[in-house]
Amino acid sequence: MPRKRNLMRADRLGYVVGGVALIVWALRRPGLLRAGVGGLGGWLLYQAYTGSNPMFKPLGIHVNPQPAQPHIAETLVVEEAVTIARPREEVYAFWQRSENLPLAAEGEVELTREAAGEELAWRTMRAEKLMHFGSLTLRDAPGRRGTIVMARLEYVPAGGSLGAVLARVTGRSPQRLVADCLRRARALLETGEAPTTTGQPAGRR
Amino acid sequence: MVKGDILGHEFMGEVVELGAAVINLKRGERVVVPFPIACGNCFFCQKAMFSLCENSNPNAGMAEKLWGYSPCGIYGYSHLLGGYAGGQAEYVRVPFADVGPLRVPDSLSDEQVLFLSDILPTGYMAAENCDIQPGDTIAVWGCGPVGQFAIASAQLLGADRVIAIDRFPERLRLAAMKLGAETIDYSEDNVLEALKELTGGRGPDACIDAVGMEAHAYHDIAYAYDRMKQAMLLESDRPVALREAIMACRSGGTISVAGVYGGLIDKFPAGALMNRSLTIRTGQTHVQRYMRLLLARIEKGEIDPSFIITHRMKLDEAPAAYRMFRDKQDDCIKVVLTP
Ligand SMILES: NC(=O)c1ccc[n+]([C@@H]2O[C@H](COP(=O)([O-])OP(=O)(O)OC[C@H]3O[C@@H](n4cnc5c(N)ncnc54)[C@H](O)[C@@H]3O)[C@@H](O)[C@H]2O)c1
Ligand SMILES: [Zn+2]
């Protein structure tokens, strides 16, 4: 079965360059190092050839080769969900305020769709530093447990999917920002506050 | 934890300042603060599973990476659980103060009520999770403070016999003399054989692990293996007591885990668990669920938790106190610090 392509186009070029560089470097090294580094280079070339990196799935990296925005060639997709023990109208009203939207801090956004109580979609103004667009879909949770909010965000990563992998590992990824945004919304809507430890006292560090 | 973090998740004190939304407490009142920080409104708080509160851990994303989902925030503990400044200080900030803190009556001393913050409810929940029936024998691994309260609670909840396991004579003595438990010294006896013999060849009806991930063992091949793998960072926890509790438990019985585990373990006896219909119950304690009920038991004189205190020291002496506790010097079981 052919593997699903999941590398970004820019990545493929990078993988070819990186793979060739590693192999060339390895050619002039002693046996074990040559085998190891050369093998790594070969593996990168193979991934560039298949267009697929098997590590992406476990790392949760998901490329969309045909995003709905015509002027964007490729995006990375983030999907997160949260259940909030409040009625749908209240949850919707909270997110109508655009400062509450995921990644609102990353630049100004405009709302592109508003279906009361059901869906909100937005995109960044063109020149923002992180180009992204996304939507929030609301539905009732079963058993009157409140509202399920599904967030979908697409963005153009700085540094391609390698950058995205690094961001995931260091924890500063859009994935985390979206998840934290949903969690903060739940805390605010359910309790009226979002707890923090910012600014708390400490001993000598 | 990082340098400069303020420790302490078992504390009590006097209310000196209140947030605007806290209308159930007054300045000057004496309160005990439960160690799980819980909002009172979320799905889990509404189900009285306070240590699973979804709204109190600002670092939930970190915890999710390691554990799938995040439990509540905790004072003076791992940053995975929020990194909140703890109670070993003159002042402490208590989030959601209208949900957690319990006012205590003047008739009871600090030392009688302090352990409502953590270890008394922890021992009690460990025993409650055993679903004790008349005639039951409960075995408890670890005779530290948590183990002692698990023993006492199993007795309060109707256990016929409690068998306590440890290696420190002063701890075993406390379990035997103060609580009337039978004891096994694992530095001398083979625990599995001893338990089999003591329970007429069937095993204890329920087993409580009050040891956790830093268990110790003698002459145990699996233990040597654990230490080796830990040194190579291939395994994070050392589950000697947990493995033994599973192997020892009677078929169809329950293993109640109060001891804390942080990450991954090896050589987990899944076969014994499955083929012998065993149940495992565990969790950070839902302290808020038990505080009132246990306060009532203390007021009625059914239990006086201060019996585990061996040392009273000043906050300034904390480093020495920690050293003593770690090295189990001077028969240390529990230290209480005051500012
Ligand atoms: N679930 C919770 O919410 C909760 C709350 C408080 C504490 N805890 C945990 O409970 C555990 C016990 O706490 P504590 O304060 O009593 O600690 P402690 O260190 O004072 O006691 C542990 C005891 O276990 C004994 N022990 C070690 N290896 C053993 C073995 N193989 N077999 C039998 N006994 C063994 C030690 O000798 C010691 O006496 C810890 O893991 C602690 O983190 C859990
Ligand atoms: Zn909660």
Side-chain angles (χ1 to χ4, degrees):
Chain A
M1 199 189 82
R3 256 179 295 174
K4 213 173 148 225
R5 190 177 80 76
N6 65 10
L7 280 182
M8 304 190 87
R9 284 186 266 276
D11 295 335
R12 277 174 98 160
L13 188 63
Y15 277 51
V16 171
V17 174
V20 169
L22 284 180
I23 290 173
V24 168
W25 185 85
L27 280 177
R28 272 173 281 155
R29 309 292 137 174
L32 209 57
L33 203 59
R34 180 181 334 161
V37 178
L40 188 65
W43 190 53
L44 283 181
L45 286 182
Y46 177 70
Q47 287 178 44
Y49 170 68
T50 59
S52 165
N53 181 336
M55 291 310 292
F56 277 19
K57 202 165 164 199
L59 279 167
I61 304 263
H62 174 25
V63 176
N64 182 359
Q66 278 151 338
Q69 302 277 326
H71 57 283
I72 300 177
E74 274 180 319
T75 56
L76 285 187
V77 183
V78 168
E79 283 175 318
E80 290 283 338
V82 73
T83 304
I84 300 178
R86 302 300 307 166
R88 206 131 58 93
E89 306 75 62
E90 204 178 308
V91 176
Y92 184 81
F94 174 84
W95 262 307
Q96 266 185 312
R97 275 167 282 147
S98 61
E99 73 267 22
N100 288 331
L101 291 172
L103 270 59
E106 305 293 314
E108 213 177 314
V109 297
E110 59 179 349
L111 288 176
T112 52
R113 202 159 56 245
E114 286 180 85
E118 289 179 357
E119 192 182 6
L120 271 171
W122 70 90
R123 66 163 176 242
T124 43
M125 309 303 206
R126 256 173 176 269
E128 295 300 347
K129 53 181 170 179
L130 182 66
M131 182 85 82
H132 68 95
F133 57 96
S135 65
L136 293 171
T137 317
L138 276 54
R139 62 186 159 87
D140 292 330
R144 286 199 251 136
R145 285 179 185 177
T147 306
I148 293 176
V149 183
M150 319 264 291
R152 181 186 167 94
L153 179 99
E154 297 192 36
Y155 69 102
V156 182
S161 40
L162 183 67
V165 172
L166 283 177
R168 279 218 69 148
V169 174
T170 56
R172 278 279 315 162
S173 63
Q175 183 103 31
R176 174 69 77 76
L177 293 177
V178 172
D180 283 346
C181 166
L182 296 188
R183 266 194 289 272
R184 176 175 168 275
R186 180 178 57 204
L188 283 171
L189 283 160
E190 290 183 351
T191 76
E193 62 184 299
T196 174
T197 50
T198 310
Q200 71 179 0
R204 256 169 284 126
R205 297 271 186 207
Chain B
M1 312 242 46
V2 302
K3 188 162 182 264
D5 280 357
I6 301 171
L7 296 173
H9 62 266
E10 309 173 64
F11 60 94
M12 61 181 300
E14 181 192 327
V15 178
V16 290
E17 223 178 280
L18 287 166
V22 186
I23 49 176
N24 58 336
L25 295 175
K26 285 198 209 59
R27 281 188 191 192
E29 281 177 337
R30 195 166 59 122
V31 293
V32 179
V33 179
F35 80 83
I37 303 173
C39 78
N41 286 349
C42 71
F43 174 78
F44 295 100
C45 286
Q46 289 291 312
K47 287 191 174 312
M49 295 162 95
F50 296 97
S51 77
L52 301 177
C53 176
E54 285 186 308
N55 289 327
S56 61
N57 182 3
N59 298 341
M62 277 159 72
E64 282 178 0
K65 267 201 181 154
L66 195 59
W67 297 330
Y69 297 92
S70 171
C72 71
I74 296 182
Y75 303 98
Y77 214 75
S78 159
H79 284 234
L80 284 178
L81 300 173
Y84 284 96
Q88 286 170 13
E90 271 126 338
Y91 297 93
V92 59
R93 177 181 68 113
V94 175
F96 301 118
D98 49 341
V99 180
L102 175 76
R103 213 171 322 138
V104 286
D106 294 338
S107 55
L108 298 173
S109 70
D110 285 356
E111 292 187 354
Q112 284 175 296
V113 292
L114 173 59
F115 302 128
L116 286 169
S117 56
D118 176 350
I119 50 177
L120 179 59
T122 295
Y124 190 86
M125 182 165 117
E128 194 183 70
N129 277 343
C130 294
D131 192 15
I132 297 172
Q133 306 295 315
D136 274 1
T137 300
I138 311 297
V140 180
W141 275 253
C143 295
V146 171
Q148 302 287 343
F149 288 145
I151 296 167
S153 303
Q155 291 165 337
L156 283 175
L157 292 171
D160 242 58
R161 292 167 72 193
V162 180
I163 303 170
I165 305 155
D166 206 307
R167 76 176 185 283
F168 291 104
E170 68 278 5
R171 295 181 174 219
L172 289 169
R173 215 179 307 123
L174 188 66
M177 308 307 268
K178 174 75 193 171
L179 301 173
E182 294 162 64
T183 57
I184 297 174
D185 178 345
Y186 74 86
S187 68
E188 287 186 352
D189 291 320
N190 177 316
V191 175
L192 288 181
E193 280 171 17
L195 282 173
K196 197 167 195 175
E197 214 165 286
L198 284 168
T199 56
R202 189 181 274 158
D205 298 280
C207 294
I208 296 176
D209 169 357
V211 177
M213 62 183 167
E214 274 156 16
H216 150 276
Y218 296 101
H219 321 301
D220 184 63
I221 296 166
Y223 178 71
Y225 168 89
D226 288 331
R227 298 232 55 156
M228 196 176 75
K229 285 202 75 166
Q230 277 185 321
M232 300 190 299
L233 302 178
L234 293 173
E235 184 181 35
S236 57
D237 304 355
R238 242 177 10 241
V240 187
L242 178 58
R243 284 189 196 118
E244 204 166 71
I246 292 173
M247 295 307 287
C249 193
R250 81 146 159 76
S251 293
T254 299
I255 296 95
S256 165
V257 184
V260 166
Y261 292 86
L264 305 176
I265 62 173
D266 272 16
K267 302 279 173 284
F268 181 79
L273 186 73
M274 188 275 156
N275 289 285
R276 300 202 294 108
S277 306
L278 299 173
T279 301
I280 293 188
R281 302 190 66 184
T282 184
Q284 296 281 358
T285 305
H286 307 298
V287 176
Q288 287 87 334
R289 189 201 285 172
Y290 299 100
M291 286 179 106
R292 282 174 183 79
L293 146 184
L294 288 169
L295 178 65
R297 285 196 187 258
I298 296 171
E299 283 189 282
K300 278 189 251 162
E302 291 172 9
I303 184 168
D304 181 350
S306 60
F307 79 87
I308 59 159
I309 302 174
T310 50
H311 295 75
R312 295 164 178 85
M313 296 166 84
K314 288 283 162 200
L315 205 45
D316 297 344
E317 302 169 286
Y322 274 103
R323 211 169 304 121
M324 179 175 69
F325 180 75
R326 182 195 64 198
D327 302 339
K328 309 270 190 304
Q329 292 158 345
D330 196 24
D331 291 357
C332 174
I333 296 178
K334 192 72 175 176
V335 185
V336 173
L337 299 173
T338 46

